[in-house]
Amino acid sequence: MGTEEVRALDGIDLDVPEGDYLAIMGPSGSGKSTLLNLLGCLDRSSEGSHEVNGIEVTKLSDNELSKVRGESIGFVFQSYNLIPYLNVLDNIRMPRAYLRSSKDKLATAIALAERIGLGDRVNHRPQELSGGQQQRVSIARAIAGTPKLILADEPTGALDSTTSLEIMKILNDLNKSGITIVLVTHEDDIANYGSRIIKMKDGKILEDKKNVPN
């Protein structure tokens, strides 16, 4: 920033094994979202090494990074990021459609909608759904491409406590099925669903500890 150097992340050394359930905590500006964006291949690090499924991604082209994201990573956002003019089914199918994948089958999307409890809402658009229902669609979309890793940025931040518990149960079940989960949260009770908690400040990892999940 002009003559001032800002280290959004500073000396991060992190390994996320397959099947891990990692919660990242820290105050605003600590680097949580930047770290999540790097893990999801949305941003590039200015130096260092970054591997996803054994692939060094720091030198990949934009198209190659898109392929890694589409095949390996699912995203869940606080604001859902659903496409407003598409119904539930088409929102769920979107990742496969971008990849022009033969796996983009209507029956698969219907099965995912039923799995998240929205089998009777498949033709509804986002504005016709509650916040919790929209987040369920977001999760179904995230797993439509059978990812190995789900990155969740404040997945319950816009939800009431009862709906938050429902969303966390879905994420727990996904983790038990073998999907690695990394989530960012400000809430201790949400972080405690993870089997590992990282605390950050000023772009550094201050603490990385195992946790007994809820």
Side-chain angles (χ1 to χ4, degrees), residues 72-98:
S72 301
I73 305 170
F75 298 88
V76 179
F77 303 95
Q78 177 178 349
S79 55
Y80 322 130
N81 288 8
L82 301 178
I83 298 176
Y85 56 83
L86 296 181
N87 65 21
V88 167
L89 281 183
D90 288 337
N91 267 288
I92 292 173
R93 298 173 71 184
M94 187 54 62
R96 292 288 96 189
Y98 275 129

Side-chain angles (χ1 to χ4, degrees), residues 4-64:
E4 182 180 355
E5 181 180 72
V6 177
R7 292 181 175 265
L9 296 177
D10 189 2
I12 295 291
D13 186 4
L14 178 66
D15 182 32
V16 184
E18 186 174 358
D20 206 359
Y21 193 157
L22 172 63
I24 302 174
M25 302 190 72
S28 296
S30 62
K32 305 185 302 297
S33 293
T34 301
L35 178 57
L36 207 68
N37 287 344
L38 282 177
L39 292 176
C41 300
L42 296 172
D43 288 342
R44 297 175 185 267
S45 58
S46 53
E47 59 185 42
S49 175
H50 176 203
E51 290 188 3
V52 178
N53 290 335
I55 300 171
E56 174 60 55
V57 300
T58 51
K59 304 299 183 183
L60 295 184
S61 68
D62 288 342
N63 285 340
E64 290 170 330

Side-chain angles (χ1 to χ4, degrees), residues 66 171 180 210:
S66 293
L171 292 176
T180 306
K210 292 184 178 179

Side-chain angles (χ1 to χ4, degrees), residues 25-178:
M25 302 190 72
S28 296
S30 62
K32 305 185 302 297
S33 293
T34 301
L35 178 57
L36 207 68
N37 287 344
L38 282 177
L39 292 176
C41 300
L42 296 172
D43 288 342
R44 297 175 185 267
S45 58
S46 53
E47 59 185 42
S49 175
H50 176 203
E51 290 188 3
V52 178
N53 290 335
I55 300 171
E56 174 60 55
V57 300
T58 51
K59 304 299 183 183
L60 295 184
S61 68
D62 288 342
N63 285 340
E64 290 170 330
L65 284 175
S66 293
K67 189 171 187 293
V68 170
R69 288 194 299 267
E71 294 181 348
S72 301
I73 305 170
F75 298 88
V76 179
F77 303 95
Q78 177 178 349
S79 55
Y80 322 130
N81 288 8
L82 301 178
I83 298 176
Y85 56 83
L86 296 181
N87 65 21
V88 167
L89 281 183
D90 288 337
N91 267 288
I92 292 173
R93 298 173 71 184
M94 187 54 62
R96 292 288 96 189
Y98 275 129
L99 290 175
R100 297 179 175 84
S101 171
S102 61
K103 296 180 181 179
D104 176 30
K105 299 185 184 301
L106 182 60
T108 301
I110 292 174
L112 284 171
E114 291 174 346
R115 180 176 177 181
I116 60 169
L118 291 179
D120 59 343
R121 295 286 189 273
V122 293
N123 292 315
H124 287 59
R125 294 183 180 181
Q127 62 268 29
E128 299 171 315
L129 304 173
S130 69
Q133 289 172 330
Q134 290 186 63
Q135 193 62 292
R136 287 170 180 264
V137 177
S138 174
I139 292 173
R141 178 185 60 189
I143 61 176
T146 60
K148 296 180 180 296
L149 169 66
I150 288 180
L151 301 177
D153 193 359
E154 297 279 1
T156 63
L159 304 176
D160 61 75
S161 58
T162 299
T163 308
S164 295
L165 292 177
E166 295 172 356
I167 295 302
M168 294 311 299
K169 182 182 185 307
I170 293 174
L171 292 176
N172 276 3
D173 290 344
L174 291 173
N175 180 246
K176 289 176 182 177
S177 73

